[in-house]
Amino acid sequence: TTPSANGNADAPVRQWERGCPRPPVGVRTPPSANGSADDPVRTPLTARKKMISVLSIIEDTMVDGPGFRTSIYCAGCRHACAGCHNRQSWDFEGGHAMSTDELMRIIEADPYANVTFTGGDPMYQPEGFAELARAIRQRTSKTIWCYTGFTFESLMSNPRQRGLLELIDVLVDGPFIKSQRDETLRFRGSRNQRLIDVRASLRAGKAIEWNDD
Protein backbone atom coordinates (compact mmCIF):
# COMPACT_ATOMS: atom_id res chain seq x y z
CA THR A 1 0.00 0.00 0.00
CA THR A 2 1.32 3.43 -0.90
CA PRO A 3 1.56 5.56 2.28
CA SER A 4 -0.23 8.88 2.53
CA ALA A 5 1.51 12.20 3.09
CA ASN A 6 1.41 11.68 6.84
CA GLY A 7 3.19 8.33 6.50
CA ASN A 8 0.25 6.16 7.53
CA ALA A 9 -0.09 3.34 5.03
CA ASP A 10 -3.73 2.79 6.02
CA ALA A 11 -4.86 6.39 5.59
CA PRO A 12 -6.52 7.42 2.31
CA VAL A 13 -4.28 9.44 0.00
CA ARG A 14 -5.88 12.61 -1.31
CA GLN A 15 -4.48 13.89 -4.60
CA TRP A 16 -3.45 17.22 -3.06
CA GLU A 17 -1.38 15.63 -0.26
CA ARG A 18 1.68 15.53 -2.41
CA GLY A 19 4.87 17.14 -3.49
CA CYS A 20 4.31 15.53 -6.86
CA PRO A 21 1.27 13.71 -8.32
CA ARG A 22 0.55 10.17 -7.20
CA PRO A 23 1.40 7.30 -9.58
CA PRO A 24 -0.11 3.86 -9.26
CA VAL A 25 1.59 1.46 -6.90
CA GLY A 26 4.42 -0.52 -8.45
CA VAL A 27 7.93 0.10 -9.69
CA ARG A 28 9.11 -1.18 -13.04
CA THR A 29 12.44 -2.78 -13.91
CA PRO A 30 15.28 -0.41 -13.01
CA PRO A 31 17.80 0.91 -15.55
CA SER A 32 21.36 -0.34 -15.39
CA ALA A 33 23.10 2.75 -14.03
CA ASN A 34 22.79 6.36 -13.05
CA GLY A 35 24.93 9.45 -13.27
CA SER A 36 27.68 10.79 -11.09
CA ALA A 37 26.70 12.03 -7.64
CA ASP A 38 29.00 15.03 -8.27
CA ASP A 39 26.68 16.30 -11.01
CA PRO A 40 24.32 18.94 -9.54
CA VAL A 41 21.69 17.58 -11.90
CA ARG A 42 22.24 13.90 -11.18
CA THR A 43 21.26 12.52 -14.53
CA PRO A 44 20.73 8.78 -15.09
CA LEU A 45 22.85 7.21 -17.82
CA THR A 46 19.66 6.67 -19.82
CA ALA A 47 19.04 10.40 -20.05
CA ARG A 48 22.55 11.00 -21.39
CA LYS A 49 21.62 8.57 -24.17
CA LYS A 50 18.39 10.54 -24.80
CA MET A 51 16.41 7.91 -22.96
CA ILE A 52 14.16 8.52 -19.96
CA SER A 53 14.06 6.41 -16.83
CA VAL A 54 10.30 5.92 -16.42
CA LEU A 55 8.61 4.78 -13.24
CA SER A 56 5.08 4.59 -14.66
CA ILE A 57 2.68 6.16 -17.16
CA ILE A 58 -0.90 7.12 -16.32
CA GLU A 59 -3.28 7.70 -19.20
CA ASP A 60 -6.37 9.94 -19.10
CA THR A 61 -5.61 11.35 -15.67
CA MET A 62 -7.32 14.62 -14.71
CA VAL A 63 -5.25 15.62 -11.65
CA ASP A 64 -1.94 16.59 -13.28
CA GLY A 65 -3.24 19.63 -15.15
CA PRO A 66 -6.46 20.62 -16.92
CA GLY A 67 -8.42 18.10 -18.96
CA PHE A 68 -7.33 14.57 -19.80
CA ARG A 69 -3.57 14.05 -19.71
CA THR A 70 -0.96 11.37 -20.30
CA SER A 71 1.33 11.68 -17.28
CA ILE A 72 4.86 10.34 -17.51
CA TYR A 73 6.29 9.60 -14.06
CA CYS A 74 10.07 9.46 -14.15
CA ALA A 75 12.38 7.86 -11.61
CA GLY A 76 14.73 9.94 -9.50
CA CYS A 77 14.42 12.88 -7.12
CA ARG A 78 16.84 14.37 -4.58
CA HIS A 79 14.58 17.00 -3.02
CA ALA A 80 13.46 14.54 -0.32
CA CYS A 81 10.44 16.64 0.65
CA ALA A 82 9.14 15.92 4.15
CA GLY A 83 5.68 14.39 3.87
CA CYS A 84 6.19 13.10 0.33
CA HIS A 85 3.85 10.14 -0.15
CA ASN A 86 5.72 8.94 -3.21
CA ARG A 87 9.12 8.10 -1.78
CA GLN A 88 9.58 5.19 -4.19
CA SER A 89 10.01 7.77 -6.96
CA TRP A 90 13.19 9.14 -5.33
CA ASP A 91 15.25 6.15 -6.48
CA PHE A 92 17.17 6.93 -9.69
CA GLU A 93 17.39 3.20 -10.34
CA GLY A 94 13.69 2.62 -9.77
CA GLY A 95 12.50 2.97 -13.36
CA HIS A 96 13.14 1.45 -16.74
CA ALA A 97 14.61 3.09 -19.83
CA MET A 98 12.21 4.25 -22.54
CA SER A 99 13.06 6.01 -25.78
CA THR A 100 11.33 9.04 -27.28
CA ASP A 101 9.79 6.83 -29.96
CA GLU A 102 8.36 4.42 -27.39
CA LEU A 103 6.85 7.24 -25.39
CA MET A 104 5.50 9.01 -28.47
CA ARG A 105 3.61 5.88 -29.51
CA ILE A 106 1.75 6.02 -26.20
CA ILE A 107 1.23 9.80 -26.33
CA GLU A 108 -0.01 9.85 -29.92
CA ALA A 109 -2.35 6.90 -29.36
CA ASP A 110 -4.64 9.23 -27.42
CA PRO A 111 -5.66 12.17 -29.65
CA TYR A 112 -7.46 13.97 -26.81
CA ALA A 113 -5.01 13.85 -23.89
CA ASN A 114 -2.34 16.47 -23.33
CA VAL A 115 0.95 15.59 -21.61
CA THR A 116 2.43 16.04 -18.13
CA PHE A 117 6.03 15.33 -17.09
CA THR A 118 6.32 14.43 -13.41
CA GLY A 119 7.94 11.93 -11.13
CA GLY A 120 10.33 11.95 -9.44
CA ASP A 121 11.63 15.15 -10.97
CA PRO A 122 11.97 15.46 -14.77
CA MET A 123 14.57 18.22 -14.33
CA TYR A 124 17.10 15.58 -13.28
CA GLN A 125 16.75 14.14 -16.80
CA PRO A 126 16.62 17.36 -18.86
CA GLU A 127 18.12 16.06 -22.10
CA GLY A 128 15.82 13.06 -22.37
CA PHE A 129 12.70 15.05 -21.57
CA ALA A 130 13.76 17.90 -23.89
CA GLU A 131 14.03 15.46 -26.79
CA LEU A 132 10.57 14.12 -25.95
CA ALA A 133 9.15 17.64 -25.65
CA ARG A 134 10.54 18.58 -29.07
CA ALA A 135 8.91 15.51 -30.59
CA ILE A 136 5.58 16.41 -28.97
CA ARG A 137 5.89 19.96 -30.36
CA GLN A 138 6.76 18.75 -33.84
CA ARG A 139 4.21 15.93 -34.14
CA THR A 140 1.22 17.09 -32.08
CA SER A 141 -0.60 20.17 -30.81
CA LYS A 142 -0.62 18.88 -27.21
CA THR A 143 0.27 21.09 -24.27
CA ILE A 144 3.06 20.10 -21.90
CA TRP A 145 2.97 20.59 -18.12
CA CYS A 146 5.95 19.77 -15.93
CA TYR A 147 6.23 19.27 -12.16
CA THR A 148 9.57 20.01 -10.50
CA GLY A 149 10.98 20.66 -7.05
CA PHE A 150 13.28 23.31 -8.51
CA THR A 151 12.10 26.91 -8.78
CA PHE A 152 11.60 28.71 -12.07
CA GLU A 153 14.43 31.08 -11.17
CA SER A 154 16.93 28.28 -10.53
CA LEU A 155 16.01 26.55 -13.80
CA MET A 156 16.61 29.79 -15.70
CA SER A 157 20.19 29.87 -14.41
CA ASN A 158 21.00 26.24 -15.33
CA PRO A 159 21.63 25.84 -19.10
CA ARG A 160 20.77 22.13 -19.17
CA GLN A 161 17.50 22.55 -17.32
CA ARG A 162 16.58 25.74 -19.14
CA GLY A 163 16.73 23.81 -22.41
CA LEU A 164 13.81 21.71 -21.17
CA LEU A 165 12.06 24.63 -19.49
CA GLU A 166 11.80 26.51 -22.80
CA LEU A 167 9.79 23.64 -24.32
CA ILE A 168 7.17 23.53 -21.54
CA ASP A 169 3.82 25.35 -21.46
CA VAL A 170 3.16 25.33 -17.71
CA LEU A 171 5.66 24.65 -14.93
CA VAL A 172 4.53 23.61 -11.45
CA ASP A 173 7.58 24.64 -9.45
CA GLY A 174 9.01 24.37 -5.97
CA PRO A 175 9.33 21.61 -3.38
CA PHE A 176 6.37 20.34 -1.41
CA ILE A 177 6.42 22.01 2.02
CA LYS A 178 4.31 20.09 4.48
CA SER A 179 3.67 23.09 6.74
CA GLN A 180 2.20 24.93 3.75
CA ARG A 181 -0.01 22.09 2.53
CA ASP A 182 -3.33 23.37 1.20
CA GLU A 183 -5.91 20.93 -0.13
CA THR A 184 -7.87 23.73 -1.84
CA LEU A 185 -5.12 24.46 -4.36
CA ARG A 186 -5.48 23.29 -7.94
CA PHE A 187 -2.87 20.89 -9.32
CA ARG A 188 -0.36 21.39 -6.49
CA GLY A 189 0.08 20.51 -2.86
CA SER A 190 1.56 23.46 -0.94
CA ARG A 191 1.18 27.23 -1.06
CA ASN A 192 4.79 27.90 -2.10
CA GLN A 193 4.31 25.99 -5.36
CA ARG A 194 3.34 28.01 -8.42
CA LEU A 195 1.62 27.33 -11.74
CA ILE A 196 3.86 29.26 -14.12
CA ASP A 197 3.03 30.28 -17.69
CA VAL A 198 6.46 29.52 -19.14
CA ARG A 199 6.15 31.36 -22.45
CA ALA A 200 4.83 34.52 -20.80
CA SER A 201 7.54 34.25 -18.15
CA LEU A 202 10.33 33.91 -20.71
CA ARG A 203 9.06 37.01 -22.51
CA ALA A 204 8.81 38.98 -19.26
CA GLY A 205 12.06 37.71 -17.79
CA LYS A 206 10.28 36.80 -14.55
CA ALA A 207 7.77 34.23 -13.32
CA ILE A 208 4.22 34.92 -14.53
CA GLU A 209 1.59 32.69 -12.97
CA TRP A 210 -0.75 30.71 -15.21
CA ASN A 211 -4.50 31.02 -15.07
CA ASP A 212 -7.17 29.35 -17.15
CA ASP A 213 -9.57 32.26 -17.42
Side-chain angles (χ1 to χ4, degrees):
T1 302
T2 302
S4 67
N6 63 15
N8 182 353
D10 298 322
V13 178
R14 293 186 290 270
Q15 287 294 344
W16 311 125
E17 293 183 344
R18 59 187 171 123
C20 50
R22 180 178 182 237
V25 175
V27 177
R28 301 192 186 189
T29 305
S32 59
N34 59 18
S36 168
D38 296 328
D39 187 345
V41 181
R42 187 167 177 254
T43 307
L45 181 62
T46 53
R48 297 202 299 272
K49 292 180 178 179
K50 302 294 178 66
M51 302 279 281
I52 294 173
S53 182
V54 176
L55 182 66
S56 61
I57 298 171
I58 301 179
E59 299 179 69
D60 291 330
T61 178
M62 298 182 69
V63 300
D64 299 338
F68 291 108
R69 310 193 74 83
T70 300
S71 289
I72 299 168
Y73 288 81
C74 67
C77 182
R78 300 181 76 189
H79 301 296
C81 300
C84 177
H85 69 271
N86 189 21
R87 295 172 66 94
Q88 72 267 28
S89 72
W90 296 2
D91 184 0
F92 283 86
E93 298 184 359
H96 72 285
M98 294 188 71
S99 68
T100 292
D101 286 342
E102 289 174 314
L103 290 166
M104 285 301 296
R105 282 195 289 272
I106 296 170
I107 290 167
E108 291 183 299
D110 189 336
Y112 305 108
N114 290 299
V115 182
T116 297
F117 301 160
T118 184
D121 193 327
M123 288 296 173
Y124 285 110
Q125 302 187 56
E127 290 86 0
F129 273 104
E131 181 177 274
L132 177 59
R134 281 190 290 270
I136 293 169
R137 290 271 180 245
Q138 293 166 3
R139 293 161 54 173
T140 78
S141 59
K142 299 177 184 294
T143 63
I144 303 172
W145 280 45
C146 180
Y147 284 78
T148 181
F150 296 97
T151 64
F152 173 82
E153 291 78 14
S154 69
L155 297 177
M156 287 285 286
S157 66
N158 184 300
R160 292 177 59 208
Q161 294 173 324
R162 180 165 176 164
L164 171 56
L165 175 68
E166 292 176 350
L167 296 165
I168 292 165
D169 292 295
V170 175
L171 182 78
V172 186
D173 82 331
F176 172 71
I177 299 177
K178 189 174 181 180
S179 64
Q180 297 188 41
R181 184 172 67 189
D182 186 342
E183 297 178 30
T184 68
L185 297 171
R186 296 186 70 198
F187 309 129
R188 59 201 191 277
S190 57
R191 290 187 297 276
N192 64 296
Q193 296 173 316
R194 300 173 292 181
L195 306 179
I196 295 175
D197 183 329
V198 175
R199 293 185 184 185
S201 299
L202 292 173
R203 289 193 297 268
K206 62 180 181 179
I208 303 295
E209 296 205 33
W210 172 88
N211 66 73
D212 58 354
D213 295 339

